[in-house]
Amino acid sequence: MMNIPKGTKDVLPSDSYKWQYVENAAREVAQLFHLKEIRTPTFEHTELFHRGVGDTTDVVTKEMYTFKDKGDRSITLKPEGTAGAARSFIENGMGNGVLPAKMFYITPAFRYERPQAGRLREFHQFGVEIFGAKGAQTDAEAILIADALLKKLGLKVKLYINSIGCPTCRAEYNKALKAFFAPHLENLCYDCKTRYEKNPLRLLDCKEEDCQKVNANAPLMLDYLCEDCKTHFEDLKKCLQLANVEYEINPRIVRGLDYYTRTVFEFVSTSIGAQGTVCGGGRYDGLIEQLGGNPTPAVGFAAGLERLLMVMEQSGVNAPEAPKPTVYLAGMDDECRKKAFAIACALRGSGVFAEIDHMDRSVKAQFKYADKIGAKYVAVIGGNELAEGVMNVKNMANGESEKVSFDGAVAYFSNN
Ligand code: HAM
């Protein structure tokens, strides 16, 4: 038997309505905030993620699905959506067009992680990227988009914000971090020794217990912000207050990707345990330039669809079920079935949700099946009905029956 690869999941036909509900909600919220959809390839040149996401991140060093294609090019399945959107922004000259460029995507993403509840190797993100606007009000807007989706889905989550400064103040902070970690180097994991040399901020993101113990007393970026970054953070807080969005400052959020500057934020649910972060994002003013474009400020976030669905389930929020057939047409014998088939064609042609027998079932068994799939009406065609040009229509909710002519079927079911 063939099995599904580890860390991946099927969305079965019986469950896909939940996904469609979340995706539709995301699309509706996106429209409300004037975001247009961008679709970028599932794979990109590996270098994009090395330069974009960062060489010292876990995502790039350990988790990427990278392979050589038949032309000997190094290709990587996208581990996230921001780098591809940024590449496309530059490549398509969007910076010369109308700014800000506000966009969203719903995309699969791939990370070679240890699978567990809420952590998969193929997962899906609803992401938002806003290019060209530098003010904290746009950071607030990104947060508000995520907040609007979470509220629309009826989910209770906590918003944490932080600022990780700009390259200027970060340089000072990195010095402080190095000074702090120097006496502890012996106790840190192998990876952290490299992080110490290359990118001290990454030390704060280590998952190892021993490293986390040391991290607990590390200096905080918030105490090292330059005046401009401080003002930006204050402005963000003001905007969130104006929008009536509750938040908590968590000075320990540094995010797992290298491109962030200033604002970072996460929405966390307490109901799904360890993988409680349903949404994360922030400002990334250096990324476009880093990838070869003109300096362009940007901010965005991504929410994991699997995690949103998990929180929905755990908090008892049900997606509305998929629509049920308006009518099931049952035929007594072959000739009647052909008539049922022809009427079903006419009904569907007029936009009526109709179903027929595909399994050569008896009329009794067809009734049972119609009931199971939740058909609102069952229309039976037997020999007598065929001769009279009518069908016997039963309303499954109240059990009442009436005769409806073949010619009147479209009008009858269009109005019922
Ligand atoms: P991220 O925090 O790496 O950020 O991922 C965003 C969200 O994707 C997470 O909060 C989580 O819900 C979901 N997620 C991440 N990894 C997995 C996984 N292995 N299994 C299931 N869900 C997962 C980014 O990807 C950034 N690109 C967000 C962003 C956009 N920042 C600015 N613009």
Side-chain angles (χ1 to χ4, degrees), residues 324-328 351-355 374-378 394 412-414 416:
K324 307 255 164 70
T326 304
V327 55
Y328 179 93
V352 177
F353 185 178
E355 182 56 300
K376 205 169 157 199
Y377 295 96
V378 178
K394 182 173 175 187
Y412 184 87
F413 291 114
S414 300
N416 272 296

Side-chain angles (χ1 to χ4, degrees), residues 126-142:
F126 164 62
V128 165
E129 314 294 352
I130 304 173
F131 297 100
K134 64 178 191 312
Q137 190 185 295
T138 313
D139 306 23
E141 180 148 316

